[in-house]
Amino acid sequence: MTEFARRVEQVSISGIREVFEAAGDDAINLGLGQPDFPTPAHARRGAIEAIESGRADAYTSNKGIRQLREAIAAKYDRDYDLEVDPEDVIATSGGSEALHLALEAHVDPGEEVIFPDPGFVSYDALTHIADGTPKPVGLREDLTLDPATVEENITEDTAAFIVNSPANPTGAVQSEADMREFARIADEHDVLCISDEVYEHIVFEGEHHSPLKFAETDNVVVVSACSKTYSMTGWRLGWVLGSNRRIERMLRVHQYGQACASAPAQFAAEAALTGPQEPVQEMVETFEQRRDLVLDGLTDAGLEVPTPEGAFYAMPKVPDGWCDEVLERGVVVVPGDAFGTNGEGYARLSYATGTEELKDALEIMADATQAVR
């Protein structure tokens, strides 16, 4: 009798979904990692014009249309003074597929993948699906990943480690010094560093830095997407970039599992990257204002909150029973242990929602805090 694959049996449905299903229809949803802004008009027009002209009817190159890959390469030159060959980019179905490609192409059965705990839920699941061994590691008090912790956990069985900055679920941003260290570790230990930079432009203090800029070998692969920067989560358009030899291996996974990213989404992404960037700036400014509102509200309620410097999440330390109490009162938050064992005692809330809703939610959370203490 045919049984299910062990690597799939080790993966469960995300705990985030369980929270959503338990919430009422009229609940204030602070659990969703999705900007509440429309996709910029020029990105939408890029897709519409491609559809109406018939340019989006057929398969594209497996790697994606040339002009999109050129736009991605130009973005790295413009933003980070990094030279990227368009041939070393694959357009993917969101950042999630990009992560999947990176792990499938580099992890052999049983090999270890180091990643932050608490961390993005896909790291553990995609490691299992690649038949690897997850190796979550704890964070500093400010919820950043310590390069020393990564280095001391590397063994002869380590295939890769994942860095996420700005981070989901914590909102933490790694320093330039940290990123230099991650690049050094990848170089010296000959281990792949997968840098998840999906939130790269949503930074409130300082700047985003990529280990790609500091690496002396090709042991860094970068994953990013239009999803968060341009409020294009539904378009499912991301990318992965790395050395040509790594891209060619990831392409072998992509071409059989996906063939190519959606053609209309590729044209929309090209327009987003090459068009006006003011919508991004306006969105980030709004997120920063909401971040400050949330920090003040949670602190006034008596909760300890590490200050998020990017993304659109806050992760306060919460008393036992807090998440259930908040949910019962009509506000959706995600228990921290949905993101790893070390997330226990925290909750993740997203401020990618309207300011008035946030104010209402903060009042409810303050009352819930008093109720469980």
Side-chain angles (χ1 to χ4, degrees):
M1 181 176 175
T2 302
E3 298 293 337
F4 297 108
R6 178 181 58 85
R7 62 184 179 277
V8 174
E9 290 293 85
Q10 292 176 313
V11 175
S12 59
I13 298 299
S14 169
I16 299 173
R17 179 180 292 184
E18 295 176 6
V19 174
F20 290 161
E21 290 177 349
D25 293 337
D26 58 349
I28 301 173
N29 192 343
L30 304 186
L32 199 59
Q34 175 170 280
D36 62 322
F37 295 86
T39 298
H42 60 279
R44 292 179 176 180
R45 284 196 302 272
I48 291 168
E49 290 171 4
I51 292 168
E52 291 181 341
S53 67
R55 291 179 293 144
D57 289 350
Y59 291 124
T60 73
S61 160
N62 291 135
K63 288 183 179 179
I65 58 174
R66 176 74 186 189
Q67 55 266 47
L68 170 58
R69 290 182 284 120
E70 288 176 346
I72 293 169
K75 168 203 131 46
Y76 283 92
D77 184 20
R78 178 181 69 238
D79 294 345
Y80 309 120
D81 196 27
L82 280 168
E83 186 175 340
V84 173
D85 187 333
E87 287 301 309
D88 295 341
V89 178
I90 302 173
T92 61
S93 293
S96 296
E97 194 213 352
L99 282 169
H100 176 62
L101 299 184
L103 290 167
E104 287 290 337
H106 293 96
V107 179
D108 269 329
E111 287 190 325
E112 297 170 346
V113 177
I114 298 169
F115 53 81
D117 176 2
F120 182 42
V121 294
S122 290
Y123 301 151
D124 182 89
L126 290 175
T127 297
H128 278 302
I129 290 170
D131 214 10
T133 300
K135 196 170 186 179
V137 297
L139 305 177
R140 297 169 172 141
E141 279 296 310
D142 65 356
L143 301 182
T144 57
L145 179 63
D146 190 341
T149 301
V150 171
E151 189 163 27
E152 68 190 21
N153 277 278
I154 290 175
T155 71
E156 61 182 13
D157 294 322
T158 304
F161 65 92
I162 301 174
V163 177
N164 178 208
S165 178
N168 176 9
T170 64
V173 175
Q174 301 287 154
S175 67
E176 178 179 351
D178 283 347
M179 290 306 203
R180 287 183 181 274
E181 276 295 282
F182 290 131
R184 178 194 63 78
I185 292 166
D187 289 339
E188 291 187 6
H189 292 271
D190 196 22
V191 169
L192 184 69
C193 172
I194 301 173
S195 185
D196 180 352
E197 303 179 13
V198 166
Y199 295 88
E200 61 182 301
H201 289 293
I202 307 177
V203 178
F204 311 131
E205 281 95 29
E207 299 178 11
H208 167 71
H209 298 280
S210 174
L212 184 66
K213 187 166 186 175
F214 309 116
E216 296 180 0
T217 67
D218 74 343
N219 286 346
V220 175
V221 163
V222 172
V223 166
S224 196
C226 288
S227 302
K228 314 298 182 176
T229 300
Y230 298 103
S231 194
M232 293 176 64
T233 53
W235 294 83
R236 308 312 304 134
L237 197 292
W239 59 83
V240 59
L241 64 89
S243 68
N244 190 258
R245 72 185 183 113
R246 296 194 186 281
I247 287 295
E248 291 304 315
R249 269 64 175 191
M250 288 186 276
L251 188 63
R252 297 176 192 181
V253 181
H254 175 70
Q255 69 179 352
Y256 293 114
Q258 190 68 29
C260 63
S262 160
Q266 291 188 51
F267 286 102
E270 179 203 356
L273 289 163
T274 59
Q277 299 302 297
E278 285 81 6
V280 178
Q281 298 166 10
E282 293 168 4
M283 188 167 64
V284 173
E285 288 171 2
T286 301
F287 283 144
E288 184 172 8
Q289 293 167 6
R290 293 176 182 172
R291 187 274 308 260
D292 294 342
L293 173 68
V294 167
L295 284 179
D296 289 344
L298 294 176
T299 302
D300 289 347
L303 298 175
E304 181 182 343
V305 195
T307 300
E309 296 183 347
F312 37 70
Y313 306 108
M315 206 166 187
K317 292 183 179 180
V318 297
D320 288 344
W322 188 87
C323 292
D324 290 337
E325 184 70 23
V326 168
L327 183 61
E328 287 179 9
R329 292 168 182 256
V331 176
V332 178
V333 297
V334 182
D337 58 9
F339 303 96
T341 303
N342 291 327
E344 187 173 355
Y346 290 86
R348 188 198 77 171
L349 59 90
S350 166
Y351 42 89
T353 190
T355 300
E356 293 307 313
E357 280 190 308
L358 280 175
K359 290 178 179 178
D360 291 343
L362 287 166
E363 290 183 8
I364 292 169
M365 288 188 286
D367 291 341
T369 303
Q370 294 303 313
V372 299
R373 281 188 163 163

